[in-house]
Amino acid sequence: MHLQPMLHDLLVATMAPTQAWSAADGQIRARGAQGCYHADVRFLSRAEVSVGGREPEAIASGSSGTGSVEVVALLRTVDSPGADPTVQLHRIREVRPGSVREVLELTCATREPVTLSLEVAVACDLADMDQVKQGRSGTNVPARAEGDHGLVWEDTAGTRVALRAHGAEVDVIDPLAPRLVWRATVTPGAATVLGWEVVASVPSGLVGPPATTVPEWAVPAVTSDDRRLPALVDQALADLAGLRMSAAFAPDDTFLAAGAPWFFTLFGRDSLWAARMLLPLGTELAAGTLRVLAARQGAVVDHDTAEEPGKILHEVRNKSVDLGDGGRALPPVYYGTVDATPLWVCLLHDAWRWGMPAHEVEALLPAMERALAWMTDHGDADGDGFLEYADLGGRGLANQGWKDSGDSVQWRDGSLAAGPIALCEVQGYAHEAAMSGAELLEAFGRPGAERWRGWAADLASRFRQQFWVHDERGRYPAIALDANKRPVDTVTSNIGHLLGTGLLDPEEEGLVAGRLASPDMDSGFGLRTMSTESAGYWPLRYHGGSVWAHDTAIVVAGLSRSGHGEIAAQLAAGLLAAGAALDYRLPELYSGADRGASGMLVPYPAACRPQAWSATAAVAVLSAALGLRPDVPNGTLHVSPPSPSPVGAVRVDGLRLGGGSLTVAVDSHGGIVAVEAETNIRIGLPGDMAGVRSATR
């Protein structure tokens, strides 16, 4: 039986498109997902250190910055007699695009110098990432010695892996399991430094490292009564720096890879949401993401790739991806997503409101018009006025919303809904995209604004008639309509994505907010993807009861925008508690089990981390706490924090607005203490929407 490897207890360092995974003790063992990867190829599957034939005993390990991890271990078989350990190994692993370097620093506090033999056993299997994800073992590739201190592995496809270990003896008696051996003397009071570096060259694909090493966002200074918030933001931005990527078809623009290890590439939906949540720190990442996706916007109808004119892609890989599910496989460029296209329009609009330069916005308006046209010409395949999806090629994803696992759309009794499926949140995105697109068309003097406003109004009316269901607790939106246009009645987090899109009226938003605040949805660590009252609920089901940080953050933002500050604060507090329980690195998802008296968080063992939209959730919570509503094109910033503040008193210096710096401070009651902007902009405050002009520093 092949099982997907667990990740929750592994140590990871990333610098896209390269990543290194090891056990918590630093050892890279030939098992599971452990190894060093570049462009979805595992170029080192083993790197195990031993001293005198014994493994070091790790006592501490963790991240030491973007692309770097450290391990402190003891060598008790070579030190002095006595209870105190006196010989230490400090293992420092640094990941850079295309390479992994490891420093092995030995120190001692013995009376006399210590002579020892340190060995690193290495191997390379060149396994593809989808093979690793399916739990299949790779076959080691034979190594050959190169020079006095080097090894090389190669394959017929053009992949070349070169390892250098200065000062080491290279043992290739067994080419499938070579060894690096150092004879070293460690002197008290001085460090002995050894090390190795491996460089991978994989045939060029569609994604690679970014053109620059400088992140596209500002790093703000955050002070808060809740000290978990600054820690969460700091870790998030460090993680995001290791997820920056570019595409061969748009090499000068940067986007965020979805997550490590499985989704270390461009994902339309994920990259769009991550860029959208990061807008308070600048528009540059959003602009790059928009341009990259526009460069591969759909142009033809192709059922095998799910491409359609105007459609935004789902994901890009260097080669086809075997899903390990009945012959399903995704082509290198795949368009099987129903929500990326309206989300692209929403991001363009929001980036414009945050101050993306007008000429950059205007250059993307033709792509926006094609995206809007896709919603009616192709997204609504059966003409019923709703966006729906179906896998017409038969080998792609069965579900094509953000909950894209095969069992994510269920009836309340646990049975699966039959497609084509029209998801509730996608109708919200489409409504917001139509209204946002209309505003952009009008602002730039292009035709069509009234058409899209009318279409959005009709969509809201149809949604009201067909999606709303009720149970003993009242009315709520169904997760979806099935193939027979019946509302699928499971209560899910999807309904929270409708808040703030304009699709619902205030009364309906209140019903949704109340439903999300109930104990069957709020786990205490964030919002469950499915109610505990549904037959299909299980806290460790990928989309059927687990908690996804980005999902909760989107709902927190929507609650804040729609005036439900107390519920927003309740869910934000859950994310902060989860962050504290996870060393402030929010993974892809975690268990939806109740927080309980112990406050113990149960991991989802195969969750990716770092994950882009999970990391940017920290900035989304921060933005919601400040209540920022920018409108740079019209020279206005509205500031309306929720009351009470979900994080107590908070001050943020170094936000970005219209290309300038922005400072906002809020007290614990949600009262505004200070708003200072470099740009000359009118500040709209609660109770004084005429506003005051900020000082220009």
Side-chain angles (χ1 to χ4, degrees):
M1 181 181 295
H2 299 291
L3 300 175
Q4 182 173 334
M6 294 186 177
L7 305 171
H8 67 285
D9 58 351
L10 299 186
L11 194 61
V12 58
T14 65
M15 188 65 76
T18 307
Q19 51 184 320
W21 291 78
S22 71
D25 62 0
Q27 301 282 48
I28 298 176
R29 299 179 175 89
R31 68 179 67 152
Q34 295 182 41
C36 302
Y37 301 81
H38 180 72
D40 283 349
V41 174
R42 182 161 59 186
F43 64 88
L44 199 68
S45 53
R46 185 186 186 198
E48 292 185 61
V49 173
S50 61
V51 175
R54 298 281 296 271
E55 289 193 23
E57 297 174 274
I59 56 173
S61 65
S63 173
S64 54
T66 301
S68 179
V69 294
E70 298 186 24
V71 177
V72 176
L74 304 177
L75 306 177
R76 294 195 296 165
T77 58
V78 296
D79 64 359
S80 301
D84 294 334
T86 55
V87 182
Q88 177 177 285
L89 170 64
H90 186 194
R91 194 170 181 177
I92 305 163
R93 183 176 300 136
E94 296 179 347
V95 176
R96 294 295 178 263
S99 70
V100 175
R101 176 174 178 263
E102 189 160 295
V103 174
L104 305 168
E105 183 181 273
L106 296 157
T107 55
C108 71
T110 54
R111 291 183 177 275
E112 302 293 334
V114 175
T115 300
L116 53 81
S117 174
L118 186 147
E119 177 180 310
V120 181
V122 295
C124 167
D125 65 0
L126 298 181
D128 288 334
M129 181 63 78
D130 54 351
Q131 178 184 0
V132 176
K133 187 181 181 185
Q134 293 170 29
R136 300 179 182 275
S137 301
T139 300
N140 284 354
V141 176
R144 61 178 173 81
E146 184 175 76
D148 294 334
H149 310 292
L151 291 168
V152 171
W153 296 268
E154 294 176 303
D155 68 8
T156 57
T159 300
R160 186 177 193 273
V161 180
L163 186 149
R164 295 285 296 172
H166 183 70
E169 300 173 14
V170 177
D171 178 350
V172 287
I173 293 175
D174 182 354
L176 300 178
R179 300 181 307 137
L180 315 173
V181 182
W182 287 267
R183 315 292 178 183
T185 299
V186 187
T187 302
T192 297
V193 179
L194 313 174
W196 54 269
E197 181 174 16
V198 60
V199 177
S201 176
V202 176
S204 59
L206 292 175
V207 294
T212 68
T213 59
V214 180
E216 288 70 23
W217 52 85
V219 178
V222 182
T223 55
S224 173
D225 286 346
D226 192 327
R227 296 184 180 180
R228 297 172 300 181
L229 179 62
L232 195 65
V233 171
D234 288 348
Q235 182 63 57
L237 298 182
D239 284 343
L240 293 171
L243 296 176
R244 298 171 61 250
M245 263 189 170
S246 70
F249 48 84
D252 296 329
D253 289 310
T254 302
F255 61 88
L256 290 174
W262 316 130
F263 311 121
F264 216 46
T265 186
L266 174 63
F267 271 70
R269 176 194 310 117
D270 299 55
S271 299
L272 286 164
W273 268 123
R276 195 177 185 187
M277 289 193 276
L278 215 59
L279 279 171
L281 305 185
T283 62
E284 289 84 354
L285 178 71
T289 303
L290 289 163
R291 286 192 290 263
V292 168
L293 292 169
R296 279 299 178 98
Q297 190 173 22
V300 299
V301 174
D302 184 336
H303 292 329
D304 289 335
T305 65
E307 182 179 358
E308 292 166 338
K311 195 175 186 182
I312 298 300
L313 60 79
H314 173 59
E315 68 178 280
V316 168
R317 299 281 188 170
N318 287 334
K319 59 181 71 174
S320 296
V321 177
D322 179 5
L323 298 179
D325 177 21
R328 290 184 178 269
L330 303 185
V333 181
Y334 179 60
Y335 289 80
T337 169
V338 71
D339 51 10
T341 307
L343 287 171
W344 188 97
V345 178
C346 294
L347 176 60
L348 179 63
H349 172 265
D350 285 3
W352 173 63
R353 295 287 292 261
W354 274 97
M356 181 176 164
H359 70 278
E360 295 184 24
V361 175
E362 190 166 20
L364 290 168
L365 292 181
M368 183 195 76
E369 290 169 325
R370 292 192 293 270
L372 290 172
W374 173 84
M375 295 199 303
T376 55
D377 297 349
H378 299 279
D380 179 15
D382 59 9
D384 68 342
F386 297 115
L387 271 63
E388 58 260 323
Y389 61 82
D391 176 32
L392 299 179
R395 299 190 68 217
L397 295 172
N399 284 315
Q400 297 181 8
W402 86 259
K403 295 179 178 176
D404 57 5
S405 56
D407 62 352
S408 63
V409 185
Q410 300 183 13
W411 294 87
R412 206 162 191 172
D413 65 5
S415 59
L416 300 185
I421 297 290
L423 290 167
C424 70
E425 78 274 15
V426 173
Q427 316 315 314
Y429 304 156
H431 183 278
E432 186 175 0
M435 295 297 290
S436 297
E439 186 178 354
L440 284 165
L441 291 171
E442 196 167 69
F444 285 88
R446 300 171 82 99
E450 287 311 309
R451 176 204 171 193
W452 288 109
R453 289 193 179 102
W455 184 86
D458 290 343
L459 175 61
S461 177
R462 286 190 299 271
F463 187 92
R464 194 161 285 118
Q465 294 169 10
Q466 293 185 243
F467 268 84
W468 283 83
V469 294
H470 68 275
D471 59 12
E472 66 281 357
R473 290 165 54 190
R475 298 170 61 236
Y476 63 94
I479 181 178
L481 302 183
D482 74 351
N484 297 313
K485 306 304 176 184
R486 298 177 300 168
V488 182
D489 60 352
T490 310
V491 178
T492 64
S493 63
N494 301 56
I495 63 177
H497 291 223
L498 299 170
L499 299 170
T501 65
L503 187 69
L504 308 182
D505 63 30
E507 179 187 359
E508 291 166 340
E509 289 188 319
L511 292 172
V512 169
R515 183 71 65 150
L516 297 174
S518 60
D520 63 306
M521 290 299 295
D522 183 2
S523 73
F525 284 122
L527 189 66
R528 294 186 179 94
T529 44
M530 181 181 289
S531 166
T532 59
E533 297 174 356
S534 298
Y537 165 79
W538 175 246
L540 288 174
R541 182 159 283 132
Y542 196 59
H543 290 132
S546 62
V547 173
W548 291 62
H550 89 281
D551 183 34
T552 301
I554 290 169
V555 175
V556 167
L559 288 164
S560 180
R561 289 170 65 184
S562 59
H564 297 90
E566 289 190 10
I567 300 174
Q570 172 184 324
L571 293 177
L575 284 184
L576 291 168
L582 293 162
D583 292 329
Y584 298 103
R585 172 178 280 167
L586 290 172
E588 178 187 16
L589 71 158
Y590 44 88
S591 170
D594 279 326
R595 184 171 168 182
S598 69
M600 182 177 70
L601 186 146
V602 178
Y604 183 90
C608 292
R609 56 185 168 84
Q611 184 88 351
W613 61 10
S614 296
T616 56
V619 180
V621 169
L622 177 64
S623 181
L626 299 176
L628 304 179
R629 308 285 184 273
D631 187 3
V632 170
N634 291 311
T636 303
L637 169 68
H638 292 293
V639 184
S640 183
S643 180
S645 168
V647 293
V650 59
R651 179 185 176 96
V652 187
D653 295 280
L655 297 166
R656 303 293 292 174
L657 180 70
S661 182
L662 172 68
T663 293
V664 181
V666 174
D667 66 25
S668 60
H669 302 290
I672 298 168
V673 175
V675 182
E676 301 171 8
E678 279 186 339
T679 50
N680 195 21
I681 198 163
R682 187 166 55 89
I683 309 297
L685 307 176
D688 177 24
M689 297 316 290
V692 293
R693 191 169 297 276
S694 70
T696 301
R697 294 183 291 172

